[in-house]
Amino acid sequence: MDHAIEFQNVTKTFRGAGYHAANCVSFVIDEGEFITILGSSGCGKTTLLKMVNRLYEPDSGKIMLFGADISSIDVVKVRRRIGYVIQQIGLFPHFTVGENIAVVPNLLKWEKEKTDARVEELMEMIGLKPEEYKNRYPVQLSGGQQQRVGLARALAADPKILLMDEPFGAIDSIARIKLQDELLALHQRMKKTILFVTHDIEEALKMGSRVMVMNEGKIVQFDTPERIIRHPRDEFVRSLVESAKEKEQFWERFK
């Protein structure tokens, strides 16, 4: 199996900050893995994600995509190979749903027939019927529907890597669980390499084939959900696991 993403001693410090956003970070992710990145606010999760698609440049170290150093690749080419989904969704309000999904294919100058076919294929995949939703505007959609469109837009040019930064954080719990299940099913079908940032331990453990736990710019544990639950490596990881167990105990009272 090929390595999709590799960080080699990557460090990033923002001007004026008295700490490293990423502190000598090294890891390897294989093609097709679903990796969740877990940690509290300010731990470096989003910084890590944004360095993959060169929204941020590291101060030192190397980042490799499929064996190539991304600093040697044109930044536009890097970003067009990667799908990016954020919590705020970022749909263009004056574009219809179909036009939003078609943004990258249009930038890549695909033929109209190919773009139209891809838009309809993705809309069916995310559960929004093209004949009903293609010509609607984002304001006419629910938060969950908007997030589906954001996912479809990220997948439009068939990228090998998908970066997701707390994509379900602003969505109600019922829609969130449904979107989690749909994304897992989508991953099973499409086998994309996914990096999914969250501050919710239950979401991280449910979604990730492996979970990267970050604290103060460092990876404190990178392991399977089962091993993180059974063998937390330090007090920070243990406290996260205990917080999830306390929630479970709360609901047990009402059974």
Side-chain angles (χ1 to χ4, degrees):
M1 188 176 288
D2 295 329
H3 296 331
I5 302 167
E6 184 175 358
F7 273 49
Q8 300 175 358
N9 297 315
V10 171
T11 295
K12 176 69 178 177
T13 308
F14 293 103
R15 187 177 297 170
Y19 59 92
H20 298 300
N23 189 356
C24 208
V25 172
S26 296
F27 62 84
V28 173
I29 295 170
D30 290 328
E31 190 169 1
E33 283 197 277
F34 194 133
I35 303 298
T36 49
I37 307 174
L38 173 68
S40 49
S41 296
C43 71
K45 306 184 301 292
T46 294
T47 298
L48 209 72
L49 212 65
K50 288 185 174 181
M51 286 193 288
V52 175
N53 66 355
R54 293 188 63 185
L55 286 172
Y56 294 155
E57 299 287 356
D59 299 329
S60 61
K62 281 186 179 180
I63 301 171
M64 316 288 285
L65 291 187
F66 300 101
D69 184 343
I70 62 171
S71 66
S72 66
I73 306 170
D74 178 77
V75 68
V76 175
K77 287 183 179 177
V78 170
R79 290 177 189 160
R80 285 181 182 170
R81 290 170 59 192
I82 297 171
Y84 191 44
V85 185
I86 58 175
Q87 180 176 324
Q88 295 82 8
I89 306 162
L91 298 180
F92 297 113
H94 55 292
F95 281 15
T96 64
V97 166
E99 288 167 343
N100 265 287
I101 296 172
V103 165
V104 175
N106 287 337
L107 285 171
L108 295 174
K109 295 183 166 47
W110 285 15
E111 292 181 1
K112 187 178 184 305
E113 293 78 10
K114 181 181 177 183
T115 299
D116 289 347
R118 181 64 173 159
V119 167
E120 296 208 357
E121 175 192 7
L122 286 165
M123 291 193 70
E124 293 287 357
M125 189 183 296
I126 61 170
L128 296 178
K129 293 179 180 178
E131 62 272 19
E132 189 174 344
Y133 291 96
K134 188 176 178 181
N135 295 316
R136 290 193 190 183
Y137 289 88
V139 72
Q140 297 171 298
L141 306 177
S142 69
Q145 289 169 338
Q146 288 183 36
Q147 198 58 272
R148 283 180 168 85
V149 176
L151 177 59
R153 184 175 64 183
L155 291 169
D158 200 23
K160 287 189 172 183
I161 294 171
L162 192 59
L163 307 178
M164 308 187 77
D165 193 357
E166 303 211 34
F168 307 147
I171 295 170
D172 69 83
S173 58
I174 295 171
R176 184 172 185 157
I177 290 167
K178 193 169 191 307
L179 285 169
Q180 288 171 351
D181 293 340
E182 288 172 356
L183 181 59
L184 286 170
L186 197 66
H187 178 252
Q188 282 296 313
R189 292 204 307 273
M190 302 182 77
K191 299 300 182 187
K192 303 288 183 191
T193 304
I194 299 178
L195 269 67
F196 185 108
V197 163
T198 180
H199 65 268
D200 184 318
I201 184 169
E202 290 162 319
E203 183 168 69
L205 295 171
K206 173 183 176 178
M207 305 292 285
S209 51
R210 287 195 293 159
V211 180
M212 182 185 296
V213 185
M214 294 193 70
N215 188 29
E216 297 179 343
K218 290 186 175 182
I219 297 172
V220 292
Q221 189 163 354
F222 189 15
D223 220 328
T224 63
E226 183 178 355
R227 284 193 59 80
I228 284 172
I229 292 167
R230 294 184 184 280
H231 306 288
R233 190 164 291 165
D234 69 2
E235 194 54 43
F236 178 73
V237 181
R238 190 173 291 109
S239 68
L240 288 174
V241 172
E242 288 303 319
S243 71
K245 287 180 178 176
E246 284 174 15
K247 283 184 191 174
E248 192 176 314
Q249 286 166 5
F250 172 80
W251 290 111
E252 284 291 328
R253 294 186 216 162
F254 301 98
K255 283 188 176 180

